[in-house]
Amino acid sequence: MIKLTDVEKTYMMGETEVRALRGLDLNIADGEFVAIVGPSGSGKSTLMHIIGALDVPDQGRVLMHDEDISVFSENELANLRGEKVGFVFQTFNLIHTLNSLENVTLPLTFQGVSRKERYERGKALLETVGLGDRLEHKPAELSGGEQQRVAIARALVNDPDLLLADEPTGNLDTDTGRGIMDLLKKLNEEGGMTVVIVTHNPNDAGYAGQTVHIVDGKIVEAKTATEGA
Ligand SMILES: Nc1ncnc2c1ncn2[C@@H]1O[C@H](COP(=O)(O)OP(=O)(O)O)[C@@H](O)[C@H]1O
Ligand SMILES: [Mg+2]
């Protein structure tokens, strides 16, 4: 589904160049579960932004379903994201004044979806993530793991092909984190969704079919888990 070829990304910090990605190649197949690991500052989030069409590289190509998105305009990228990509963040990024149902369905209000349909889709998604009994709770009334489940439900609202999660368990304790990983795995296996996560946790990487290790903006190792391992 996604093919990166010789991708480079450099940021300017004042006068200083920061080469976040330095000639990176990566293939992600449809339905794959990929974990990106590596030290802080190695380029993991930058890579996620490029995979998720939040940003384009300075050099190299990014094919998504055989379409070269490295030449897309901001508008084209935004449309692609809206149709195909769901994002989950370490800090959940929920809106504190809105309840679970409202957080999940907020993107639909901008698309003019009726109130009744929003309710039905939001409720079904919250049931999928195990929060059918928390529809009217606000983020402050939920545990960290529950907030992350709401964030995952929100990421699913447009039925994406690709779910990206940047350190989704980074702010959670081990058991709660495992519950989130089990949920991502379920969405991958039962929903056929392609899932890409960034993680520091070796236990999380164990869920992935392909583990990509990056250091200094380059892939130093890409391992495919063997069946049953
Ligand atoms: N918007 C930005 N402007 C300038 N430098 C950036 C920006 N985003 C990331 N960087 C730099 O690029 C490098 C890679 O960052 P990042 O992809 O966030 O790494 P990671 O997610 O692995 O911690 C770091 O040195 C970081 O400081
Ligand atoms: Mg990061």
Side-chain angles (χ1 to χ4, degrees), residues 101-113:
L101 197 68
E102 292 162 344
N103 264 290
V104 170
T105 58
L106 186 62
L108 301 179
T109 62
F110 301 120
Q111 296 163 22
V113 176

Side-chain angles (χ1 to χ4, degrees), residues 115-127:
R115 192 186 176 84
K116 180 167 177 290
E117 196 184 333
R118 289 202 310 265
Y119 176 83
E120 279 163 11
R121 271 165 72 184
K123 183 166 180 286
L125 285 168
L126 284 162
E127 281 166 358

Side-chain angles (χ1 to χ4, degrees), residues 109-206:
T109 62
F110 301 120
Q111 296 163 22
V113 176
S114 75
R115 192 186 176 84
K116 180 167 177 290
E117 196 184 333
R118 289 202 310 265
Y119 176 83
E120 279 163 11
R121 271 165 72 184
K123 183 166 180 286
L125 285 168
L126 284 162
E127 281 166 358
T128 301
V129 300
L131 290 180
D133 54 353
R134 295 287 189 278
L135 304 187
E136 293 185 5
H137 285 57
K138 293 197 174 149
E141 298 158 353
L142 298 168
S143 70
E146 288 170 337
Q147 290 182 56
Q148 192 58 299
R149 286 172 189 275
V150 174
I152 291 171
R154 177 185 56 189
L156 299 177
V157 76
N158 282 330
D159 195 19
D161 301 328
L162 174 63
L163 186 64
L164 300 180
D166 197 343
E167 308 208 27
T169 65
N171 282 10
L172 304 174
D173 65 70
T174 308
D175 280 349
T176 308
R178 197 167 289 139
I180 293 298
M181 291 305 298
D182 287 335
L183 172 60
L184 293 175
K185 189 75 186 167
K186 184 179 99 171
L187 294 168
N188 170 248
E189 282 179 349
E190 294 171 17
M193 207 173 312
T194 308
V195 176
V196 183
I197 64 159
V198 167
T199 184
H200 278 298
N201 186 336
N203 178 55
D204 290 358

